[in-house]
Amino acid sequence: MSKKLLYALFFPLLLTACKKEIDFDYHEAEPIVVVEGRVTNEGTEVLLTRTRQVEDSVRGQGLSGAAVVVTDAAGTHHPLSFDPATATYRSPLVGTPGQTYTLSIDFEGRHYEGTSTMPQAAPIVSAQFLWQPVLQERLLVYEVWAHDPEPDERGYYYYRLDRRSPHPHFRGKPQRDAYRWNAFDDRGNPPGLVYRDVMCMSEKMAEEDEEDNWKRILYEGDTITFQLWTVDRPTCQYFQSLAAGQSGGANPVSNMQGGCLGYFTAASITRADTLIFSYDLVSDAPSSTIPKATRNNQ
């Protein structure tokens, strides 16, 4: 399926929204522990929270009091210490590609465990904002290209595009969630390359600047950061099911055992250069979709 066809399919979803009040009779359930754990080339971190009721809008706080340990392939145990400043458990342990790690958590009489193998990193070659023509509009996309670390094997990835905005719309409002994120595999990518076009907003949406779309609109002066994780298949499936289940409230597929939700991953992270967003930086999409730097190496 071509990129232009994908834009044509998803573009209307970006522009339209239906509003209708529907009353649901939600059944309350006992809170469940949620684990978000990772060993990466940047260190080791685990966040413990609990699920909350559907109508509870208060963000969950990190839970202290757990015994959290990561064990490497050699059998060495690496205890994590609770950091009150971030409400997470941390360790200076840096992951090594090809190694398998096990996360063990003992909390309130329950034992939770997960295992993950760390893939090679995918070095980012280029990252830029482009205007893509779609129907009678222009869509702003953030196009990222990276080298596939294992071109003969199926690769799995998670990306996260964050922005911090000084715009008056957000004054006094925390911006802690990712602007855009998702997971994917490398099927359909050119040989030896990984690409992702992150759909941001339409030009019309930015011009109209309606309050309902403030979270979707990028403004002059926004700080933009992007990270690409190379992950194993269970981690990719977790994030894909998390994205798919958000609209319906379904729980994602977890790779953790013991009755908790969440995930544990050993991942290699690469980052694009941080930039300050400006419309002057946005170019029209070129006729060739592959950057010169990567075309010359094929």
Side-chain angles (χ1 to χ4, degrees):
M1 184 178 294
S2 70
K3 291 167 65 176
K4 288 187 177 180
L5 178 57
L6 284 173
Y7 294 141
L9 290 173
F10 289 106
F11 182 60
L13 299 178
L14 188 68
L15 297 180
T16 61
C18 297
K19 292 185 178 180
K20 184 177 181 180
E21 292 187 4
I22 301 177
D23 293 327
F24 287 98
D25 182 17
Y26 295 111
H27 298 282
E28 293 191 0
E30 289 297 321
I32 301 173
V33 170
V34 180
V35 177
E36 298 174 66
R38 60 179 182 264
V39 175
T40 74
N41 51 306
E42 298 180 350
T44 298
E45 182 178 81
V46 175
L47 171 66
L48 296 185
T49 56
R50 283 192 176 93
T51 56
R52 58 183 188 271
Q53 302 303 326
V54 174
E55 296 179 346
D56 184 0
S57 61
V58 179
R59 192 181 184 93
Q61 299 297 313
L63 303 173
S64 61
V68 182
V69 177
V70 170
T71 304
D72 60 27
T76 303
H77 300 300
H78 303 267
L80 278 66
S81 301
F82 185 75
D83 178 11
T86 60
T88 60
Y89 297 83
R90 293 175 173 268
S91 168
L93 170 66
V94 173
T96 301
Q99 298 297 308
T100 298
Y101 298 88
T102 299
L103 170 67
S104 299
I105 300 172
D106 290 287
F107 182 63
E108 296 182 341
R110 299 290 298 270
H111 179 78
Y112 310 108
E113 191 168 296
T115 300
S116 182
T117 300
M118 185 174 178
Q120 297 286 337
I124 293 176
V125 176
S126 68
Q128 61 180 329
F129 283 103
L130 298 172
W131 288 118
Q132 287 282 1
V134 180
L135 303 178
Q136 302 301 314
E137 256 287 9
R138 292 203 302 175
L139 179 64
L140 182 70
V141 300
Y142 187 66
E143 185 179 77
V144 180
W145 288 87
H147 284 301
D148 189 339
E150 297 183 88
D152 296 328
E153 302 290 337
R154 175 75 68 236
Y156 301 93
Y157 304 90
Y158 163 83
Y159 71 81
R160 178 177 173 126
L161 177 65
D162 287 293
R163 68 95 172 262
R164 290 292 181 271
S165 181
H167 197 279
H169 288 341
F170 305 105
R171 191 163 295 158
K173 299 178 181 179
Q175 301 175 57
R176 295 186 295 179
D177 296 324
Y179 171 74
R180 294 286 187 269
W181 65 269
N182 215 321
F184 64 100
D185 61 43
D186 58 6
R187 285 178 289 185
N189 283 219
L193 297 173
V194 177
Y195 80 85
R196 183 64 13 175
D197 281 351
V198 182
M199 292 185 289
C200 299
M201 63 180 184
S202 71
E203 189 174 28
K204 181 179 179 181
M205 181 185 294
E207 291 172 349
E208 293 177 345
D209 196 24
E210 296 180 352
E211 185 173 355
D212 287 347
N213 293 322
W214 284 354
K215 290 184 178 181
R216 301 182 181 93
I217 298 171
L218 293 180
Y219 295 96
E220 292 275 343
D222 286 1
T223 300
I224 305 296
T225 58
F226 179 88
Q227 50 187 294
L228 178 66
W229 297 15
T230 313
V231 298
D232 57 13
R233 183 180 180 184
T235 302
C236 182
Q237 291 176 328
Y238 170 83
F239 284 114
Q240 287 179 328
S241 62
L242 179 63
Q246 280 189 330
S247 59
N251 290 328
V253 179
S254 175
N255 68 339
M256 294 291 299
Q257 300 176 354
C260 64
L261 298 177
Y263 72 96
F264 169 63
T265 186
S268 293
I269 301 176
T270 56
R271 297 177 182 270
D273 292 337
T274 299
L275 62 87
I276 304 301
F277 180 77
S278 170
Y279 287 99
D280 292 338
L281 298 176
V282 185
S283 305
D284 290 327
S287 56
S288 173
T289 59
I290 301 178
K292 291 181 179 179
T294 57
R295 291 203 302 268
N296 294 338
N297 292 329
Q298 293 190 72

